[in-house]
Amino acid sequence: MKRSCFIKLGGEGKLGFTLVELLVVIAIIGILIGLLLPAVQAAREAARRMQCSNNVKQLSLSCHTMHDAVNHFPSLCAQKGYATLDDGGFHWRVSWPPMLFPYIEQMARYDMVMQIRKDDLPIAPYSTSATVTHNGVEYDNPYAGLLSGFLCPSETVTDPVDGALAPTSYRVNLGDETYNNSVSLGNDSLKRGIAGRGDQYTCTMGSISDGTSNTALFVESTITTGFDQAIQSLRGGIAQTTSDVYRMPLSLVEECRSFRDGSNLTSVYPNSRRGARLADAYGTVFTGVHMVLPPNSPTCSYNHYEYVFCAASSYHPGGVQVGMCDGSVHFIPDTINCKRSDYNSLDGGTISAGNSGQSYFGIWGALGSRNGGESVSF
């Protein structure tokens, strides 16, 4: 004998519901779904943040392995033993990620990087194709493709954004100085952080006098999502300043800070290329970060994407992942202190070359400096 459930309007039945009762049930189900979805999204973001933390951890540990092998960390550019800034070629532009390839199970890529230098092959960190043909021989571009260990899972980027070049969500700590381009680096520049010109300075464990647990190694910074148009996002674009960011004066630091909420953002520099090239050190915007403004502040430029003051940022709510020189990883909130107590009295001054002593930029700047004499807690 067959039985069926039915809706009976205006009458009674063993399995019947009135229309009002049915609507109430539907409404309750809708409310439960509405409550469940944010919880699911939060759980997914927690998982993405955990994976991001693991990526930063692995990169930090690979630096330790490299240090054990060659007694120094990788540089921003002009890698020690690979090329110098004035060698007449583009090899000096190879940034820190390729130097870590042997320690993150990318030995084939590393061998190709070494062959490029040895045979002077025309494969540059800015060569946007997946392969390059030279004298009738086709070579794979070791800087192309996607490397999951260099991508935060919360990123919006799922494909290369500059030809076939691999992008990166993680940048090396350039310290609390504001030199903005590796070409400009002199003997007195970019030595407060972990990375600078490898032919001028290489960072060792022994040179981190503030302590490895007090000094940042890698910091998150988001990747530009496209080209050839203004990107109306502080996380994806570059805010345009009224004067050059080279040797940025504190007044310009404050101008960049004023862009933070986006309400008075005058423009975002078109054709921005934040994090778009995994291996290119020409502009610090690709592989470096300045520890001056707090996380999720705007990145600033005057009139060119290569001359940029690059800030930390992420798509995680409230902060960024930071890998320390001791291999630990911490989630640093946007609200971290970024001004030392006498900061306002310094306003208008220019950050001097070879700055020594405590950072102008509070706890965040202290995390960026390796030898400022600060002991920080966060």
Side-chain angles (χ1 to χ4, degrees), residues 189 213 239 243 276:
S189 64
S213 62
S243 57

Side-chain angles (χ1 to χ4, degrees), residues 5-296:
C5 297
F6 63 95
I7 299 172
K8 185 175 180 180
L9 302 180
E12 294 294 335
K14 290 182 179 180
L15 300 176
F17 295 97
T18 67
L19 180 59
V20 172
E21 290 170 333
L22 179 62
L23 293 176
V24 169
V25 171
I26 293 173
I28 292 173
I29 293 173
I31 292 171
L32 291 175
I33 292 174
L35 294 173
L36 181 62
L37 285 177
V40 171
Q41 291 170 348
R44 288 176 176 172
E45 170 53 27
R48 290 192 294 265
R49 183 171 136 178
M50 184 178 297
Q51 180 59 51
C52 180
S53 174
N54 184 62
N55 288 348
V56 178
K57 179 100 174 165
Q58 294 306 313
L59 289 176
S60 299
L61 292 178
S62 70
C63 274
H64 282 231
T65 307
M66 175 180 174
H67 193 284
D68 290 343
V70 298
N71 298 315
H72 62 81
F73 289 129
S75 302
L76 173 67
C77 65
Q79 306 299 328
K80 186 175 181 179
Y82 190 77
T84 63
L85 200 65
D86 56 0
D87 72 348
F90 51 77
H91 307 294
W92 65 267
R93 287 178 63 160
V94 175
S95 195
W96 58 269
M99 299 298 104
L100 297 182
F101 283 166
Y103 314 110
I104 56 173
E105 300 181 347
Q106 294 290 331
M107 198 65 198
R109 288 178 183 266
Y110 181 75
D111 288 342
M112 191 65 222
V113 172
M114 294 298 106
Q115 185 180 353
I116 290 170
R117 185 69 182 94
K118 177 178 177 292
D119 297 339
D120 201 25
L121 300 177
I123 305 176
Y126 50 85
S127 299
T128 57
S129 59
T131 60
V132 174
T133 300
H134 179 63
N135 292 334
V137 179
E138 186 178 77
Y139 298 92
D140 290 331
N141 183 351
Y143 313 126
L146 285 176
L147 293 170
S148 61
F150 288 91
L151 291 175
C152 171
S154 293
E155 274 284 358
T156 60
V157 170
T158 56
D159 296 296
V161 293
D162 191 6
L165 289 175
T168 178
S169 305
Y170 308 116
R171 319 295 166 78
V172 71
N173 167 25
L174 303 181
D176 59 341
E177 295 178 285
T178 58
Y179 259 127
N180 54 31
N181 190 289
S182 53
V183 177
S184 307
L185 306 185
N187 291 325
D188 60 354
S189 64
L190 284 187
K191 296 180 181 179
R192 291 271 289 181
I194 299 304
R197 268 183 65 168
D199 58 349
Q200 301 282 0
Y201 145 77
T202 52
C203 182
T204 66
M205 287 287 189
S207 67
I208 307 173
S209 58
D210 286 350
T212 56
S213 62
N214 293 323
T215 307
L217 178 53
F218 293 117
V219 184
E220 276 190 275
S221 191
T222 54
I223 303 169
T224 291
T225 55
F227 296 96
D228 302 321
Q229 72 274 345
I231 300 169
Q232 300 301 323
S233 163
L234 291 181
R235 284 178 168 83
I238 298 177
Q240 197 161 359
T241 60
T242 57
S243 57
D244 196 355
V245 301
Y246 179 79
R247 277 292 180 216
M248 180 182 284
L250 294 179
S251 58
L252 199 54
V253 171
E254 290 306 298
E255 180 182 340
C256 286
R257 191 192 306 275
S258 72
F259 292 138
R260 187 170 184 177
D261 62 5
S263 62
N264 58 346
L265 182 65
T266 56
S267 64
V268 177
Y269 191 74
N271 205 22
S272 306
R273 303 190 178 195
R274 296 177 54 172
R277 301 176 183 176
L278 179 85
D280 194 354
Y282 185 54
T284 57
V285 69
F286 298 130
T287 58
V289 66
H290 299 91
M291 304 284 285
V292 175
L293 293 179
N296 292 316

